[in-house]
């Protein structure tokens, strides 16, 4: 089992920044991919960003150039730096960890409890 604990959500004005962090613990040796999805009310859960062991990254088109994902393998954490936030970024953000990540498919591994990000003036 892998446990994921997220932190860093909150309320921010448009144009502002937030940093989300996810700490993994437990049976993490088989984890090759970590990242973030988000889900807005009435919408499907969608990829925000993923990072694979070795450092390759994948971003949703809507966040490219504004969000940066990073991973600290020594600390077993994955962070999401979110800049130039827009109201449409408002959602619950979920951390995930999986042994295999396939673009276009929801991970079948582990999920965090979610953290709310609200972008509003």
């Amino acid at each position: 089992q892998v446990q994921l604990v997220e932190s860093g959500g909150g309320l921010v004005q448009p144009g502002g920044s937030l940093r989300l962090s996810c700490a993994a613990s437990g049976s993490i040796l088989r984890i090759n991919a970590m990242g973030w999805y988000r889900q807005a009310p009435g919408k499907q859960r969608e990829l925000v960003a993923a990072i694979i062991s070795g450092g390759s990254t994948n971003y949703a088109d809507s966040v490219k150039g504004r969000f940066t994902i990073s991973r600290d393998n020594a600390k077993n954490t994955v962070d999401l730096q979110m800049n130039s936030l827009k109201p449409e970024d408002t959602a619950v953000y979920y951390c995930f960890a999986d042994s295999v990540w396939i673009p276009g498919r929801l991970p079948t591994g582990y999920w965090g409890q979610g953290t709310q990000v609200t972008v509003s003036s």
Side-chain angles (χ1 to χ4, degrees):
Q1 291 291 325
V2 174
Q3 295 76 44
L4 301 173
V5 178
E6 301 134 333
S7 60
L11 172 66
V12 64
Q13 293 185 344
S17 298
L18 279 176
R19 187 176 184 89
L20 304 183
S21 184
C22 175
S25 61
S27 302
I28 59 175
L29 290 180
R30 295 183 179 180
I31 298 301
N32 291 315
M34 295 184 71
W36 298 87
Y37 280 70
R38 67 187 180 187
Q39 188 165 18
K43 295 188 177 181
Q44 293 185 335
R45 193 169 296 192
E46 62 176 7
L47 172 71
V48 178
I51 187 166
I52 314 302
S53 294
S56 62
T57 58
N58 190 307
Y59 293 92
D61 288 343
S62 60
V63 307
K64 285 180 180 177
R66 300 188 297 123
F67 292 10
T68 302
I69 190 170
S70 60
R71 182 173 176 179
D72 187 328
N73 291 322
K75 296 181 179 179
N76 300 317
T77 59
V78 60
D79 290 350
L80 184 69
Q81 177 65 42
M82 305 186 293
N83 298 329
S84 302
L85 282 160
K86 304 175 181 180
E88 50 264 44
D89 294 317
T90 296
V92 178
Y93 284 67
Y94 296 92
C95 176
F96 82 91
D98 211 339
S99 56
V100 177
W101 179 70
I102 300 173
R105 296 185 182 182
L106 282 178
T108 59
Y110 304 94
W111 292 92
Q113 78 283 3
T115 185
Q116 177 70 47
V117 171
T118 302
V119 184
S120 176
S121 56

